[in-house]
Amino acid sequence: MAGRDNWDTGKTMSSLPLVFSAPHRGQPPRHLADLPAEQRAEAVAALGEKPLLAKQLSRHYFARLSVDPAAMTDIPRSARAALVTELLPPLLTEVRAVSCDNGATSKSLWRAHDGTLVESVVMRYDDRATVCVSSQAGCGMACPFCATGQGGLRRNLSTAEITEQVRAAAVTVRDGGLGPPGRLSNVVFMGMGEPLANYRRTVDAVRRICDPVPGGFGISQRSVTVSTVGLVHAIRRLAGEGLSVTLAVSLHAPDDELRDELVPVNTRWKVAEVLDAARYYADRTGRRVSIEYALIRDVNDQPWRADLLGSLLHRALGPLVHVNAIPLNPTPGSKWDASPKQAEREFVRRVIAAGVSCTVRDTRGREIAAACGQLAASDR
Ligand code: SAH
């Protein structure tokens, strides 16, 4: 096919197997945030304490963002230690944090109970503050341009390991760590891992993030984005959860031949099936779907691919789609590079000309390896 002759397929990089089920490893300790609100009272009662303390404990965690027993003055002193030890165990210890973009972006590296490393990134904008969370340690989807994908899958994160990244970010934003004190407003599942391959825990985490205080953090569902390589069955399942979260699909190529290489899960579910599932999601939820497209020089940035992308998306989703063009963030040692600005502009112009809304994503965190696909790669 046109455009294929001038790039090396990088076979050695893309030959990793697809891994859908995480290796069985020790689970992190149980945590309040693993439990739906109704089960928290039972858990507190099982510790021999009054069930209504569950609400107080939830308020400390989800509203005050605190796990400090000394601050829990509305809980009898005698009960605090046991409740905190059993239901708010430390799950993630910060190994280090680095910031850039004049202090508006901060990346944290976390160590879990078993030594597993994960990262999250907080980004402060004028009108919002966003945390990019990891849903798995590593990733089994083997995308050759993604640093996480090249490292394989270590394990799924628990629901509370995901909400802990959100809580830490909310504390940073509240306490003015990234500029004027504010409120964490957005959560994107675009850190390490394939969220829909850790389906149950991801959906539970979304509920904890969005449930009203004190059951959850009270962040609007519309301000949460779940990004996927395109696990078709899981997209359809997510459409039935009654959630209004934004679905982002990492397409990166409009044709199966190239997408088979760039997003190896395409060998299971083709572009047309992924777009069908995206349409189903948009119809069920009324939410516009985001399409992620990392522009890679001479690989997927040809004018004809822009035209094909535009016409496919227009046909499949009409007004229910927005394309985020992302300049490739080259991973160390990769022979691939971002598209030149001129090619990027032309690509976007053509997609828009096909009647599809399209913008170039502002990329934060490049100089601290906090941009797409680089999380924790340097610490393996
Ligand atoms: N597994 C999910 C979510 C994690 S990655 C998914 O694939 O959607 C979040 C986004 O960053 C995806 O669109 C992914 O393809 C993109 N990405 C990964 N590595 C990148 C890189 N080096 N440059 C630009 N985007 C990248």
Side-chain angles (χ1 to χ4, degrees), residues 132 135 139 141 143 145-148 189-195 226-230 248-252 263 292-295 326-331 361 366 371-374:
C132 175
S135 55
C139 187
M141 297 297 113
C143 302
F145 58 89
C146 173
T148 312
F189 285 76
M190 293 188 182
M192 299 166 75
E194 166 51 43
V226 175
S227 183
T228 178
V229 286
V249 176
S250 299
L251 203 63
H252 304 315
V263 187
E292 311 293 293
Y293 200 103
L295 283 165
I326 313 158
L328 179 81
N329 183 34
T331 56
R361 174 173 295 162
R366 294 212 147 202
C372 315
Q374 293 193 334

Side-chain angles (χ1 to χ4, degrees), residues 306-315 318 348-357:
D307 295 343
L308 180 58
L309 179 70
S311 62
L312 272 184
L313 292 179
H314 189 61
R315 205 173 330 126
V348 171
R349 191 190 69 73
R350 285 175 179 258
V351 173
I352 293 172
V356 172
S357 95

Side-chain angles (χ1 to χ4, degrees), residues 15-82:
S15 59
L16 282 173
L18 283 168
V19 179
F20 291 96
S21 313
H24 198 76
R25 298 189 196 267
Q27 281 304 298
R30 178 186 67 158
H31 188 283
L32 186 80
D34 290 320
L35 308 172
E38 39 317 337
Q39 284 174 26
R40 294 178 205 157
E42 284 167 35
V44 168
L47 295 171
E49 303 296 344
K50 292 202 180 65
L52 55 83
L53 292 181
K55 204 157 192 172
Q56 265 109 299
L57 203 60
S58 295
R59 190 171 294 284
H60 287 290
Y61 184 80
F62 288 105
R64 304 205 177 105
L65 309 172
S66 168
V67 293
D68 175 12
M72 301 180 182
T73 49
D74 55 347
I75 297 178
R77 198 180 292 276
S78 58
R80 282 183 222 167

Side-chain angles (χ1 to χ4, degrees), residues 179-204:
R183 189 173 174 277
L184 182 73
S185 55
N186 295 66
V187 179
V188 296
F189 285 76
M190 293 188 182
M192 299 166 75
E194 166 51 43
L196 298 188
N198 185 17
Y199 186 88
R200 197 66 263 159
R201 297 179 191 90
T202 292
V203 169
D204 285 352

Side-chain angles (χ1 to χ4, degrees), residues 1-21:
M1 195 176 270
R4 281 292 302 282
D5 343 347
N6 55 357
W7 69 285
D8 180 335
T9 55
K11 281 275 184 234
T12 49
M13 290 179 77
S14 57
S15 59
L16 282 173
L18 283 168
V19 179
F20 291 96
S21 313

Side-chain angles (χ1 to χ4, degrees), residues 269-319:
W269 293 286
K270 297 298 177 197
V271 170
E273 293 171 90
V274 174
L275 295 183
D276 266 1
R279 173 69 200 225
Y280 179 77
Y281 187 87
D283 284 342
R284 283 292 297 266
T285 60
R287 304 285 298 151
R288 199 161 77 149
V289 171
S290 292
I291 297 291
E292 311 293 293
Y293 200 103
L295 283 165
I296 313 176
R297 181 202 288 257
D298 295 335
V299 173
N300 65 353
D301 62 352
Q302 302 82 355
W304 72 266
R305 281 205 163 91
D307 295 343
L308 180 58
L309 179 70
S311 62
L312 272 184
L313 292 179
H314 189 61
R315 205 173 330 126
L317 285 140

